[in-house]
Amino acid sequence: MIAGKDAPTFGEAKNSWLTGTAAWNFVAISQWILGIRAEHGGLRVDPVVPVDWGDFKVTRRFRGARYNIAVRKSKGAVGRVARLTVDGREIVGNLVPLPTRPGQSFDVEAFVQ
């Protein structure tokens, strides 16, 4: 909101708290709903999406690598990642390891139950 001509502080912006809203929404959605977040040891894939959502795909760049992430989720599933594969190989947990060389690309599949 900008104060109107009849206000004692004409032209002054009144909602300075709005400046970070878009950035915080991006963080909340990408890291805590879609569950794709950077950690020291790798890229965590831990979606917490609404029950009526199905599959989705995300491309994420992290530490010089490209991660093509496909989340497989049947509508109605309410759980978390039950299985994670990286380039077709199953890994333990939901932390995708760091790249070993610049420009590396990973195909990640996360299966939610």
Side-chain angles (χ1 to χ4, degrees), residues 64-106:
R66 178 186 178 111
Y67 295 81
N68 302 307
I69 303 165
V71 175
R72 311 284 184 217
K73 179 187 173 293
S74 301
K75 286 188 179 181
V78 294
R80 303 295 271 270
V81 171
R83 188 166 64 94
L84 189 75
T85 64
V86 178
D87 294 332
R89 292 184 308 264
E90 191 165 339
I91 65 169
V92 175
N94 61 359
L95 186 66
V96 180
L98 295 171
T100 56
R101 62 184 187 284
Q104 197 168 358
S105 182
F106 297 99

Side-chain angles (χ1 to χ4, degrees), residues 3-19:
K5 65 178 180 157
D6 295 328
T9 55
F10 172 71
E12 182 179 87
K14 297 290 186 184
N15 293 338
S16 60
W17 56 269
L18 287 176
T19 58

Side-chain angles (χ1 to χ4, degrees), residues 5 9 25-26 28 36 38 40 46-47 51 54 57 59-60 62 65 69-71 73 81 84 89 93 99 108 113:
K5 65 178 180 157
T9 55
N25 273 300
F26 176 76
I36 314 296
H40 181 71
D46 187 26
V51 69
K57 293 181 180 180
T59 299
R60 173 73 151 85
F62 174 59
I69 303 165
V71 175
K73 179 187 173 293
V81 171
L84 189 75
R89 292 184 308 264
V108 179
Q113 291 185 339

